[in-house]
Amino acid sequence: MTQANEPPLQLRRNGLDPAEELARARDGEGVVRVETPWGLPGYLVCRHADVRRVLTDPVRFSSALTPLRGAGALDPGEAARMRAGQLIGLDPPEHTRLRRMLTPEFTARRMRRLEPRITEIVQSALDDLERAGRPADLVAHFALPVPSLVICELLGVPRADRAAFQDRATRLLDTSLPAEELAAVRREERAYLADLVARARADRGEDLLGTLVREDGDELGADELVGVAGQLLLAGHETTSNMLGLGTLALLRHPDQLAMIREDPARIEPAVEELLRWLSISQSPPPRTTTAEVEVAGQVIPAGALVICSLPAANRDPAFAADPDRLDVTREPAGHVAFGHGVHHCLGAPLARMELRIAFSLLLRRFPGLALADPYERVDFRVFSVVFGLNALRVTW
């Protein structure tokens, strides 16, 4: 597979920070033309206020009109089946209908019921990390398995299927993957999920898929259930796992901030919010397509254009947060867009926040001497992925 030398502007980073050219785009014009993985030119929106405006307005900035990435390798019927149930690719009222069914399963109250089991999963992963011996890969032994096991248990996915799912998830998010290869991964993933849904229909367990089949099965078609399962698996796993790896790296790079959390465990919740803002690992939500000519940051964007929102640039916008490039776990960054905004605000945000709070707290308590095993310059970042992350992070203690 031939890979470009540099990712598109919206994916560029300088270590843990957004690339300098992304900050210049935000502080300059605010909207710039970019190439996209869709093979079409797009308009990159960089300022916090403008990003919130785009994400709040599904009438002028449509998700449903944006084609699937690599759709040229799919026939129209196949592409339509793959879009079914994909909340991030729908507009109201269809989006509203599906989200209404899922929202009760992701309330903060329901998530709290999972806290004891999540704590067990985190402690087991920390045991595994310690058994691996120093130095150990924090990604392989901690950041990946914790959210993977949580979301798989929530949805009723067999543990034995986890490794194969992780491999497919990584490829699905790789923007350098050729269209034909991406289509093949999508078909493989869909076949697996269709079998998972068929099993849930046959045996309606207490997991989330079983609950959806039992309570909303008459309204949800098989393709929609497949789409819902796929999106929840991908979003519930990839974002949280990469936050755990990158969040740990960020704290190790800022020992004064790490010390404040360790000395006062009550700081963990604002610290999680600050890490979400500062890292913004979801580089951008899926593009929107303009339904009419529209003006953003003083620039006219024609109808039918792709609009991409840069969440890292928006969350580091000086107009939104004071001294935004500084990691400050005492900050109260209300209004960050790390989970998106508007009707597509991340459904699983309460679950992600709880996992991060528990995982960081127990990690820092178990390993008070946690440190990088390699120089920072050798950290292995994922640079072509829609979700920013690490391939590995060797640590010692």
Side-chain angles (χ1 to χ4, degrees), residues 1-323:
M1 178 176 65
T2 301
Q3 194 173 68
N5 292 327
E6 189 174 38
L9 176 59
Q10 59 271 24
L11 301 185
R12 291 180 202 165
R13 298 269 182 158
N14 178 19
L16 291 168
D17 298 314
E20 292 179 8
E21 55 264 46
L22 192 56
R24 287 197 297 270
R26 178 198 61 221
D27 300 338
E29 294 178 292
V31 175
V32 294
R33 293 288 297 271
V34 294
E35 292 302 315
T36 73
W38 282 255
L40 301 168
Y43 292 79
L44 184 64
V45 179
C46 301
R47 295 174 185 161
H48 184 267
D50 294 328
V51 165
R52 284 171 63 99
R53 176 191 164 201
V54 170
L55 299 183
T56 306
D57 186 356
V59 174
R60 288 187 294 177
F61 301 95
S62 168
S63 297
L65 292 178
T66 302
L68 286 173
R69 181 166 59 91
L74 304 169
D75 67 65
E78 190 177 26
R81 288 192 297 275
M82 288 185 176
R83 287 190 76 103
Q86 294 279 336
L87 282 170
I88 57 174
L90 299 174
D91 296 328
E94 197 62 18
H95 173 273
T96 309
R97 179 182 71 87
L98 281 178
R99 185 156 181 136
R100 172 179 51 80
M101 299 176 198
L102 292 167
T103 297
E105 301 301 322
F106 287 93
T107 61
R109 180 176 59 84
R110 293 217 179 173
M111 290 300 101
R112 281 194 292 272
R113 296 179 188 173
L114 299 175
E115 186 160 354
R117 178 57 184 144
I118 293 174
T119 300
E120 289 177 359
I121 289 172
V122 171
Q123 289 173 332
S124 177
L126 291 173
D127 291 342
D128 182 55
L129 180 66
E130 190 166 18
R131 280 194 298 268
R134 296 173 289 182
D137 182 4
L138 185 99
V139 172
H141 294 285
F142 181 68
L144 278 178
V146 167
S148 175
L149 192 52
V150 169
I151 197 65
C152 285
E153 286 194 6
L154 185 63
L155 286 168
V157 176
R159 181 183 291 211
D161 297 347
R162 195 176 68 192
F165 167 74
Q166 168 59 37
D167 175 66
R168 289 192 299 270
T170 300
R171 288 184 286 159
L172 285 169
L173 293 169
D174 185 350
T175 60
S176 70
L177 210 65
E180 294 77 11
E181 194 172 338
L182 178 60
V185 178
R186 282 193 172 130
R187 292 183 184 112
E188 183 183 341
E189 178 74 350
R190 193 175 188 285
Y192 171 75
L193 293 169
D195 180 66
L196 190 69
V197 167
R199 281 182 272 162
R201 286 184 179 277
D203 181 13
R204 303 178 182 187
E206 295 304 314
D207 53 72
L208 195 150
L209 268 186
T211 301
L212 283 174
V213 169
R214 188 168 51 252
E215 297 183 0
D216 301 294
D218 293 339
E219 190 176 346
L220 284 169
D223 286 338
E224 286 184 317
L225 279 168
V226 167
V228 165
Q231 185 170 327
L232 292 177
L233 269 173
L234 187 64
H237 173 266
E238 279 293 315
T239 52
T240 309
S241 66
N242 285 295
M243 268 301 302
L244 286 174
L246 285 168
T248 301
L249 175 60
L251 290 174
L252 291 176
R253 292 283 292 170
H254 296 81
D256 58 327
Q257 303 296 299
L258 188 153
M260 283 192 280
I261 300 170
R262 183 175 283 133
E263 292 164 8
D264 182 5
R267 292 188 186 273
I268 190 61
E269 289 191 14
V272 164
E273 293 303 314
E274 173 68 349
L275 286 168
L276 286 164
R277 177 200 72 85
W278 195 75
L279 290 167
S280 299
I281 62 159
S282 292
Q283 315 264 40
S284 65
R288 272 51 170 179
T289 299
T290 52
T291 58
E293 183 178 276
V294 62
E295 185 177 307
V296 179
Q299 298 192 48
V300 175
I301 301 176
L306 286 182
V307 175
I308 301 169
C309 292
S310 173
L311 303 186
N315 279 332
R316 297 281 192 104
D317 188 344
F320 161 61
D323 196 7

